[in-house]
Amino acid sequence: MYRPIPLYYKYLLTFIFVIEEINKDQTILPNVTLGYHIYDSCAQEKKAVKSVLQILSGSGKTIPNYSRMGHRTLSGFIGGQSSLTTLPMAQILAVYGYTQISYGGTSYLLSDRNLYPTFYRTVQGDRASYSVLSGLIKYFGWTWVGVLASDDDSGNEEIQILTEYLTSISICVAYIIKAKPSKSDILYEMNKKRADIIIKSSAQVIILCGTYSSYLGDLLADLRGVINNKTLVFGPTFALIPFLLEHYMDVFNGSLALQPSSLPMLDMRSFYYSYQPINNPKDKLLELIWLLWKKCLSRDRKRNKVYSEVHGISLHNCTGKERLTEFSSFHIPGLTDRVYKAVYSMVHALHNMHMYLGGQSSQKVSPSYDYRHQLHRYLRNQRREDGDPVFSKNGDVVAPYKIANWLAFTNKSLFIVDVGHTWKVDDNHQKIYVQPNKTVWKYDNNEIPKSQCSENCQPGTRKVLKSALHSCCYYCIQCPEGEISNVTDSENCLMCADHEWPNEKKTQCVPKVLEFLSYTNDTIIVIILIASFLLCFLTFLIIIIFILYQDTPLVKANNKNLSFLLLFSIMLSILSVFLFLGRPVDATCMLRQISFGVLFSVAISCVLGKTIMVYIAFKGSKPGSPWKSWISTKLSNCVVLLCSSIQVLICMSWVTISPPFQELNIHSSQGTIILQCNKGSLIGFYSVLGYMGILAAISFITAFLARTLPDSFNEAKYITFSMLVFCSVWTTMIPAYLSAKGKYMVAVEIFAILASCAGLLACIFFPKCYIILCRPELNTRKHLLEKENDLANS
């Protein structure tokens, strides 16, 4: 049996009240009486179409394109309440050119001014409401939501709009469940599968779409056990149906509703209060409401009997003085203000049209005026008090939304609390303001529910999609080396600048550590300094010993000038180590390579000069030997000068053409900037090393050939060992040098310098110091002459 809803009856009374008030007001449409036809579409498209055609045809049989209205003039249409009935009405009325104002149709199709140029509405379209609703979902950080919708054109359209907006802000729809009529056995299996989908999904927020129907109500009832712990979010269509909270308290408790803000209207409470059955005995609809809702006997005995038998309820007599305000729905605005606005907008458009076409005359305007093709222009040009148009370019009345929190307590008390609102940016966009602290959720801790497919990726990680279907389902992986992410749910990691490196958590870029052999931060430098000072001190002691004993046969026999030159070059080579320590600059970069190359070349040249002099001294000691004329300090000095000069020329060419310089190496080592010396020219660097290696090889070969010669103090043998140590050190140093990085490369070079100097000191000068200090009897002229006689006899 058809069951009228009191709230919808309130809309009807509002319409009647406004028409009566306007007919009483002589300042609006003077000498014109407004009449009306009221038809109930019962939320059915077919009935809506039939009603429109009936009004267009007039009384009697419905005949399209034929009117029997006589002297009456049809101005326009008010309705319908939902998109389901409004859309087919608009399609017919657009053909005939009649103006239509809907107070509840929200379909986005109705915004097409090419198809529906005479259509207006006192609500906003679905695109506006779902744009705000999507923003509300994003505000609370919900990225994984479910959708329950009616399986009709309205539901399908709204799902399309909703998913479009959600996708644009990276929110995914976990599932879509549509309510549609089915047989009981099939419906049971379908709802069982639907419940499994909801239970298995991690979506804690469900959005309602479409229009409310008995099928959707049955679906909510069947799924009550699985959605009563979910948070429902819905737009104006469901927000204006307050009995949902009464019938499904556990489901809608703690939900969020987006409802339009109230429009200004007259206070009609006294009208509703005085509207009683005893005062309106001919109102059959009012009589039916009292019968169905208050169990009052009607005048129709057959109806009373049918109702009693079908529902098994006994009816009783009522006084007729019962008031409509006893219904709780009469205290809820619903669409009352939208109905009020629709009627007044239509009437004011008629008034402006009459005033423009008929002047200021008080005479009744002739009905020959063509309302069909002119009235909508006056409606479009209406202005508010602030001068802005009443209707937007799409024919909507743009107004802010309220964000309401629906609450149901254990004592069955119901509350709808405003927790936020929007404000207009333009006709298509509104900004959201929410007070989360005022919102009551259905969870014990009253925390904002989390509705995500995956947990948030923390800073330092990035998202990797699990599948290409949903961007909201992902894994979290650590950012690669050299990259960071400093926001939650980052899709990409950011590369740090060349001079920066990620911190340990990879949440921010920090300056790279500057790496060089520092006097303050490196422990290895302590070892280098101790070794350097020790070797330098030993060299200084040997020099002192040689100075003190420079007139002894041992010092004289081994060319004391070359010995002193060799000792000073070794000492300077040891001191050159300090050019490799500390922060390098262009000057130290050049000096370290030049000093290293020249000083070592001088040292090896001295060793070569000594070796040659040993060989010539042996050859020249024989009677009549031509080598005797070569025995002179000039020869050794010339060897040292010549060999050293060649190295000096190589170094000068290197420094002139492409000198070493300081550089920042930002790529060789992760997290550090190596402050190093660039060789400038690798050819120059390896030419220095190569020439030094040639000198060392010649010295080694010469000393090796002369090692068995009966030298007085066996110096050739010591030189052989020193060159063997020198060549071994530098041979092993080169691969170690090439494989090392940063300050360790410098440390390898320093080790090679110190080891070479130590080898020269140990192999050449330690034996002589031993004889000078510990075996002075061997450091005599007599011992030297005995050796020379043995040499001559051999």
Side-chain angles (χ1 to χ4, degrees):
M1 182 182 290
Y2 172 69
R3 186 181 180 90
I5 299 174
L7 179 62
Y8 297 166
Y9 185 69
K10 180 183 179 182
Y11 301 158
L12 172 62
L13 293 182
T14 302
F15 177 84
I16 295 172
F17 172 81
V18 175
I19 295 295
E20 292 179 355
E21 289 296 312
I22 291 172
N23 285 332
K24 295 177 184 177
D25 191 347
Q26 294 301 313
T27 62
I28 302 176
L29 292 174
N31 299 321
V32 176
T33 300
L34 292 175
Y36 53 84
H37 293 279
I38 298 177
Y39 288 81
D40 188 358
S41 65
C42 299
Q44 297 178 18
E45 296 169 282
K46 291 181 180 180
K47 282 194 174 184
V49 171
K50 182 180 179 181
S51 300
V52 170
L53 293 176
Q54 182 68 62
I55 294 172
L56 293 174
S57 299
S59 59
K61 188 177 180 180
T62 301
I63 303 174
N65 298 321
Y66 180 77
S67 175
R68 293 186 301 272
M69 287 188 292
H71 68 280
R72 292 171 298 175
T73 303
L74 181 61
S75 301
F77 289 76
I78 305 293
Q81 183 175 314
S82 67
S83 299
L84 191 68
T85 56
T86 302
L87 195 58
M89 289 176 59
Q91 291 169 344
I92 296 173
L93 297 177
V95 174
Y96 289 98
Y98 280 105
T99 300
Q100 176 189 2
I101 303 179
S102 171
Y103 58 90
T106 58
S107 173
Y108 79 96
L109 297 175
L110 295 169
S111 298
D112 191 336
R113 305 311 287 169
N114 294 321
L115 293 178
Y116 311 107
T118 60
F119 175 81
Y120 295 86
R121 54 189 169 190
T122 54
V123 292
Q124 288 182 258
D126 289 329
R127 285 197 173 275
S129 60
Y130 280 110
S131 173
V132 175
L133 199 66
S134 301
L136 184 64
I137 299 293
K138 184 179 181 181
Y139 176 87
F140 286 106
W142 299 325
T143 58
W144 187 241
V145 296
V147 175
L148 294 183
S150 57
D151 191 11
D152 52 23
D153 291 341
S154 177
N156 294 330
E157 287 174 11
E158 291 182 28
I159 289 173
Q160 180 183 350
I161 296 170
L162 175 64
T163 53
E164 177 185 332
Y165 279 116
L166 292 179
T167 303
S168 67
I169 54 178
S170 301
I171 297 173
C172 305
V173 176
Y175 54 82
I176 298 176
I177 297 175
K178 298 181 180 180
K180 54 185 177 181
S182 302
K183 295 181 180 179
S184 58
D185 54 341
I186 298 176
L187 186 62
Y188 174 77
E189 292 297 327
M190 288 179 61
N191 286 342
K192 188 176 180 181
K193 293 179 180 179
R194 291 166 174 170
D196 289 339
I197 292 173
I198 296 173
I199 292 172
K200 292 178 181 178
S201 176
S202 60
Q204 298 298 313
V205 173
I206 299 176
I207 303 174
L208 299 182
C209 292
T211 55
Y212 178 77
S213 63
S214 59
Y215 307 120
L216 188 57
D218 293 340
L219 178 63
L220 292 174
D222 292 340
L223 298 179
R224 174 175 287 176
V226 295
I227 64 175
N228 59 2
N229 63 341
K230 308 292 183 182
T231 299
L232 299 187
V233 180
F234 42 88
T237 303
F238 290 90
L240 296 173
I241 309 177
F243 63 78
L244 289 174
L245 183 58
E246 299 176 17
H247 292 182
Y248 309 99
M249 293 177 59
D250 53 344
V251 174
F252 283 89
N253 178 37
S255 58
L256 291 178
L258 185 69
Q259 59 189 53
S261 299
S262 299
L263 299 176
M265 59 180 291
L266 291 176
D267 187 356
M268 293 186 288
R269 286 177 294 182
S270 60
F271 175 75
Y272 298 142
Y273 186 80
S274 62
Y275 202 90
Q276 298 170 287
I278 196 172
N279 300 328
N280 300 276
K282 295 182 179 181
D283 193 333
K284 300 298 181 181
L285 187 58
L286 179 61
E287 185 181 74
L288 181 60
I289 290 175
W290 288 115
L291 169 69
L292 297 175
W293 291 89
K294 297 294 184 180
K295 301 178 181 61
C296 295
L297 286 168
S298 68
R299 291 185 176 88
D300 190 337
R301 293 182 178 180
K302 291 183 178 179
R303 177 182 290 175
N304 294 337
K305 183 179 180 181
V306 170
Y307 183 81
S308 298
E309 291 177 354
V310 171
H311 295 278
I313 299 175
S314 61
L315 303 177
H316 60 274
N317 286 313
C318 296
T319 63
K321 297 181 179 180
E322 292 83 8
R323 304 184 186 280
L324 287 168
T325 51
E326 295 176 13
F327 292 102
S328 60
S329 57
F330 262 74
H331 300 281
I332 297 171
L335 291 170
T336 305
D337 57 334
R338 263 58 190 179
V339 174
Y340 183 94
K341 183 69 175 179
V343 177
Y344 257 101
S345 297
M346 180 76 78
V347 170
H348 278 288
L350 282 169
H351 177 78
N352 293 336
M353 180 178 173
H354 280 220
M355 291 299 102
Y356 180 77
L357 296 179
Q360 300 296 326
S361 174
S362 62
Q363 299 296 320
K364 182 177 285 189
V365 179
S366 173
S368 61
Y369 286 128
D370 190 359
Y371 293 103
R372 292 168 55 182
H373 300 290
Q374 297 187 59
L375 181 60
H376 76 92
R377 296 191 183 94
Y378 294 91
L379 197 63
R380 181 181 60 198
N381 293 329
Q382 283 187 4
R383 291 288 186 273
R384 298 200 303 253
E385 293 180 358
D386 58 5
D388 290 338
V390 172
F391 295 95
S392 69
K393 62 181 180 180
N394 293 328
D396 301 347
V397 171
V398 179
Y401 288 101
K402 293 188 296 183
I403 300 168
N405 188 201
W406 285 19
L407 304 175
F409 295 97
T410 53
N411 59 0
K412 295 188 178 181
S413 58
L414 308 177
F415 294 94
I416 296 179
V417 182
D418 292 340
V419 295
H421 62 270
T422 67
W423 67 90
K424 175 182 173 182
V425 177
D426 54 45
D427 289 345
N428 299 317
H429 299 90
Q430 299 192 40
K431 286 192 174 182
I432 301 174
Y433 171 75
V434 183
Q435 294 175 287
N437 57 324
K438 291 180 62 177
T439 307
V440 178
W441 308 101
K442 60 175 60 177
Y443 307 106
D444 294 336
N445 55 9
N446 200 38
E447 290 184 355
I448 297 175
K450 292 184 67 175
S451 190
Q452 299 173 234
C453 180
S454 303
E455 290 295 326
N456 297 103
C457 288
Q458 298 303 314
T461 62
R462 68 179 181 91
K463 298 192 295 187
V464 176
L465 298 183
K466 291 182 178 180
S467 68
L469 296 178
H470 296 295
S471 61
C472 305
C473 301
Y474 47 80
Y475 300 104
C476 298
I477 64 171
Q478 197 76 16
C479 285
E481 292 295 331
E483 298 182 11
I484 66 158
S485 64
N486 51 12
V487 294
T488 303
D489 287 336
S490 176
E491 295 183 356
N492 297 292
C493 295
L494 305 175
M495 181 72 72
C496 288
D498 288 340
H499 62 281
E500 293 180 329
W501 190 254
N503 61 355
E504 186 177 352
K505 294 183 179 179
K506 295 189 176 181
T507 56
Q508 63 178 347
C509 293
V510 296
K512 286 184 176 180
V513 178
L514 203 60
E515 182 181 280
F516 58 91
L517 273 179
S518 171
Y519 284 102
T520 56
N521 298 328
D522 292 302
T523 55
I524 192 174
I525 206 166
V526 177
I527 301 173
I528 293 173
L529 290 174
I530 292 173
S532 300
F533 282 120
L534 182 60
L535 289 176
C536 194
F537 179 71
L538 289 176
T539 307
F540 180 74
L541 285 181
I542 294 172
I543 291 174
I544 297 298
I545 292 172
F546 269 57
I547 291 174
L548 295 176
Y549 293 92
Q550 62 179 324
D551 294 327
T552 60
L554 180 62
V555 176
K556 289 182 177 180
N558 288 284
N559 195 334
K560 66 178 181 179
N561 293 330
L562 281 183
S563 296
F564 282 117
L565 182 58
L566 176 58
L567 285 170
F568 278 108
S569 62
I570 290 174
M571 178 178 284
L572 292 176
S573 296
I574 296 171
L575 293 176
S576 70
V577 166
F578 290 94
L579 295 173
F580 291 82
L581 303 178
R583 187 187 185 100
V585 294
D586 290 344
T588 56
C589 287
M590 286 190 292
L591 287 174
R592 68 168 61 170
Q593 302 302 336
I594 294 174
S595 61
F596 159 70
V598 172
L599 291 174
F600 263 91
S601 296
V602 171
I604 299 172
S605 299
C606 291
V607 174
L608 179 60
K610 279 178 165 288
T611 308
I612 292 174
M613 286 304 298
V614 170
Y615 184 80
I616 292 176
F618 171 74
K619 293 293 185 180
S621 62
K622 296 182 179 180
S625 174
W627 292 95
K628 196 167 187 177
S629 60
W630 291 90
I631 301 175
S632 172
T633 58
K634 292 182 180 180
L635 177 62
S636 58
N637 293 339
C638 289
V639 170
V640 174
L641 182 60
L642 177 63
C643 295
S644 301
S645 299
I646 295 174
Q647 185 71 293
V648 170
L649 290 175
I650 294 174
C651 290
M652 293 303 295
S653 301
W654 177 17
V655 171
T656 303
I657 298 172
S658 182
F661 59 90
Q662 180 212 69
E663 73 168 356
L664 299 177
N665 186 342
I666 59 177
H667 300 296
S668 295
S669 180
Q670 296 179 347
T672 59
I673 298 177
I674 300 174
L675 191 59
Q676 63 184 21
C677 288
N678 188 299
K679 300 299 185 293
S681 171
L682 289 177
I683 296 176
F685 175 70
Y686 287 111
S687 295
V688 170
L689 286 182
Y691 178 72
M692 196 166 59
I694 292 172
L695 287 180
I698 294 174
S699 298
F700 174 73
I701 294 171
T702 306
F704 182 77
L705 294 176
R707 74 189 187 285
T708 57
L709 297 179
D711 181 35
S712 300
F713 296 99
N714 225 2
E715 189 169 29
K717 187 180 297 184
Y718 301 140
I719 291 174
T720 302
F721 284 117
S722 67
M723 288 297 99
L724 181 61
V725 171
F726 185 89
C727 293
S728 299
V729 168
W730 287 98
T731 302
T732 55
M733 170 267 181
I734 292 175
Y737 180 83
L738 295 176
S739 61
K741 294 180 181 179
K743 61 184 179 181
Y744 300 105
M745 181 184 290
V746 179
V748 168
E749 192 171 356
I750 292 173
F751 169 76
I753 293 172
L754 295 178
S756 302
C757 293
L760 292 175
L761 287 175
C763 296
I764 295 177
F765 293 101
F766 283 5
K768 295 179 180 179
C769 292
Y770 173 74
I771 294 174
I772 293 173
L773 298 176
C774 299
R775 299 293 298 276
E777 69 275 8
L778 300 179
N779 188 15
T780 59
R781 184 174 180 81
K782 178 181 178 182
H783 180 73
L784 179 61
L785 291 176
E786 290 177 356
K787 287 289 184 179
E788 289 179 352
N789 291 332
D790 293 339
L791 178 61
N793 293 331
S794 62

